[in-house]
Amino acid sequence: MDSVKCLVPANDVDSSDDDEEPSDQLMTTISRHSFGEDSDEPPFSVSIIENMKEEYGLFVWPCSKILAEYVWQQRSRFSGTSVVELGAGTALPGLVAAKLGADVTLTDNSDGVEVLDNVKRVCELNKIKCKVLGLTWGVWDASIFNLQPKIILGADVFYDASAFDDLFATVTFLLQNSPGSVFITTYHNRSGNHLIEFLMVKWGLKCAKLLDAFSFMPSYKASGLSGNIQLAEIVLKA
């Protein structure tokens, strides 16, 4: 079953984190997300450490579950492929890609130390080797110049309109840095869609594929989700 949650004693998550408040420890859960149960291939699951405090990057949001499912369904594209997840948060889509044999770099805001540390703990929990990198959209430091992903992932990265331009600048740079690459993103269909379309034109991008997220979600997984969510594959204009 997808997304099974359980409360976890703090010493089962990371006993080395002595600075964590007891109230934070009590709010920590581990959710388990399964893939491949309805296929002939061996199924697997990914466990995610979540915390119910007010930190958006410490939840598994619906867009993340949907993008992770799409990665699984498109699994032939990911084996041996270089993947970067932007605004990874709890990093479920990137971790699924790594399980499928991709070379994955998980990124989130450079200032988000707690989120980045949690991603490292999740990688250790699942015994998955991924690079974890602080990457702030629109900031050009040494870390971004070494990235040449064939697939860029982003789940629910269109939530703050003031950051859209910086996000598109970063996506465009990565697409240009790796010819033939693609940005795959899931997002809520909100009023900001017109801004997304405008910025795609501004940055020389185009939508190569647009899907209603629930058109490919298995019914037993879709039943636990809500919202008008779309998936887009975005590439450079020829």
Side-chain angles (χ1 to χ4, degrees), residues 7 14 23 31 59 92 110 130 140 181 194 196 206-207 210 216:
L7 287 170
D14 187 349
S23 59
S31 57
F59 299 100
L92 180 60
S110 298
C130 295
W140 311 108
S181 55
H194 294 300
I196 293 171
K206 67 177 182 179
C207 183
L210 184 65
F216 59 83

Side-chain angles (χ1 to χ4, degrees), residues 13 15 18 33 46 50 69 80 88 141 154 200 202 211 226 230:
V13 176
S15 58
D18 296 330
H33 307 264
V46 175
E50 299 185 70
E69 178 64 26
D141 55 22
M200 275 199 290
K202 174 183 175 179
L211 299 173
S226 62
Q230 292 182 312

Side-chain angles (χ1 to χ4, degrees), residues 61-72:
W61 296 96
C63 282
S64 185
K65 296 179 182 180
I66 290 169
L67 184 55
E69 178 64 26
Y70 188 74
V71 170
W72 159 253

Side-chain angles (χ1 to χ4, degrees), residues 66 70 186-187 189 209-217 222 227-232:
I66 290 169
Y70 188 74
T186 47
Y187 60 94
N189 190 359
K209 181 186 289 187
L210 184 65
L211 299 173
D212 177 272
F214 293 97
S215 67
F216 59 83
M217 286 292 289
N228 185 356
I229 299 174
Q230 292 182 312
L231 180 140

Side-chain angles (χ1 to χ4, degrees), residues 37-213:
E37 294 178 322
D38 53 355
S39 76
D40 295 331
E41 299 185 35
F44 65 82
S45 64
V46 175
S47 297
I48 301 292
I49 302 168
E50 299 185 70
N51 194 296
M52 298 299 105
K53 64 192 296 186
E54 291 184 10
E55 171 55 71
Y56 294 144
L58 298 176
F59 299 100
V60 179
W61 296 96
C63 282
S64 185
K65 296 179 182 180
I66 290 169
L67 184 55
E69 178 64 26
Y70 188 74
V71 170
W72 159 253
Q73 292 187 17
Q74 298 282 312
R75 53 194 173 275
S76 62
R77 300 169 66 179
F78 285 87
S79 179
T81 299
S82 176
V83 174
V84 168
E85 183 172 2
L86 299 176
T90 52
L92 180 60
L95 291 168
V96 173
K99 280 274 196 179
L100 296 171
D103 178 15
V104 177
T105 300
L106 304 170
T107 76
D108 211 295
N109 193 300
S110 298
D111 295 330
V113 176
E114 187 174 9
V115 173
L116 293 169
D117 285 346
N118 191 63
V119 171
K120 294 174 184 176
R121 294 160 72 190
V122 170
C123 289
E124 292 172 0
L125 177 65
N126 289 281
K127 297 180 172 60
I128 296 174
K129 290 185 178 180
C130 295
K131 302 179 190 71
V132 178
L133 179 68
L135 191 158
T136 302
W137 304 335
V139 174
W140 311 108
D141 55 22
S143 58
I144 193 171
F145 291 99
N146 295 322
L147 297 176
Q148 293 183 304
K150 285 299 180 184
I151 300 177
I152 306 160
L153 299 175
D156 212 2
V157 289
F158 295 108
Y159 60 87
D160 179 2
S162 67
F164 285 8
D165 226 0
D166 287 337
L167 171 62
F168 272 107
T170 300
V171 168
T172 302
F173 174 82
L174 292 173
L175 292 174
Q176 291 173 339
N177 210 31
S178 185
S181 55
V182 60
F183 174 45
I184 307 176
T185 181
T186 47
Y187 60 94
H188 286 272
N189 190 359
R190 304 183 179 107
S191 58
N193 281 11
H194 294 300
L195 180 56
I196 293 171
E197 293 166 3
F198 168 77
L199 289 172
M200 275 199 290
V201 173
K202 174 183 175 179
W203 289 99
L205 306 176
K206 67 177 182 179
C207 183
K209 181 186 289 187
L210 184 65
L211 299 173
D212 177 272

